[in-house]
Amino acid sequence: MSESRRSASALVRRWWPLALAVPLGAAAGAGYALVSHPSYAANSYVVVVAEQQGEGATAVNFAQAYGRLAGQPQVLAAAAAETGHSVATLSDTVRGTTSPDAPMIEITGTGRRPADAVKSADAVAKSLIAFANTSSKETGVRLVALADAAEPDGPSSPSAALDTAVGGAAGVLVGTLVMLTRRRPGGAAGSAGAAAAAEAES
């Protein structure tokens, strides 16, 4: 056997777990993207307004607090009645996010259809505004709807490219682990053989 063939054979024996796992992982990720139900996301925006001028920092702080309350049962209860979903369902499909330097709350709703995502986002935004504004006299701020949700042009998930990449990365991890487990016994045996040979020579 020529030197080039021996080298190629050694490379195949060493790297075959990685060469096999990566395309299999990528194929699995692509398959998942094909069979998964599409999910749509829509965003509704709420802004916190301070009753007195010069209280911008206060408005930002309350935006952070109300953003965390967007997914709480006391806010979701009214939205659940409007959307026909349970509080638990809305808790899984709606979230509020905020900016560290702007008094704005983004309410993101997800659903199997674009209209479902829009309805959930707007209902939770409306419920959050009503909940917060009952305490406006005490807090010194009020919530105002900035923009209603718009129907998304396409699904937010699954993403064929992303799922394929994730599957390929998982294949790299699995293949590397297999390679490491195959090396350890051989390495131990080789060390034991070298030690035995050294004892025989001495």
Side-chain angles (χ1 to χ4, degrees):
M1 183 182 291
S2 66
E3 184 66 26
S4 60
R5 286 190 176 184
R6 283 196 295 269
S7 298
S9 179
L11 286 174
V12 170
R13 288 196 302 270
R14 180 177 181 183
W15 295 100
W16 73 262
L18 201 60
L20 181 64
V22 172
L24 284 178
Y32 172 79
L34 287 175
V35 302
S36 295
H37 293 289
S39 178
Y40 296 85
N43 301 315
S44 184
Y45 297 91
V46 175
V47 64
V48 180
V49 179
E51 298 289 356
Q52 297 182 359
Q53 293 185 351
E55 296 292 336
T58 300
V60 171
N61 291 337
F62 273 103
Q64 301 284 335
Y66 284 126
R68 289 190 289 270
L69 287 175
Q72 297 303 309
Q74 59 267 39
V75 172
L76 297 178
E82 182 174 340
T83 60
H85 296 308
S86 66
V87 170
T89 298
L90 284 180
S91 179
D92 292 335
T93 58
V94 179
R95 69 179 186 276
T97 55
T98 58
S99 169
D101 53 7
M104 187 173 67
I105 304 169
E106 180 184 68
I107 308 295
T108 302
T110 58
R112 293 285 182 87
R113 299 180 304 170
D116 293 336
V118 170
K119 190 173 184 179
S120 295
D122 285 344
V124 172
K126 179 180 176 182
S127 180
L128 179 64
I129 291 171
F131 174 82
N133 287 350
T134 58
S135 305
S136 290
K137 291 183 179 180
E138 292 79 12
T139 61
V141 300
R142 57 190 175 88
L143 271 60
V144 178
L146 181 63
D148 291 335
E151 284 200 5
D153 295 329
S156 57
S157 65
S159 168
L162 178 60
D163 291 335
T164 300
V166 171
V172 171
L173 177 61
V174 172
T176 303
L177 290 175
V178 172
M179 289 173 59
L180 290 176
T181 56
R182 290 179 70 248
R183 282 185 187 179
R184 286 175 183 173
S191 298
E199 289 182 3
E201 290 178 359
S202 61

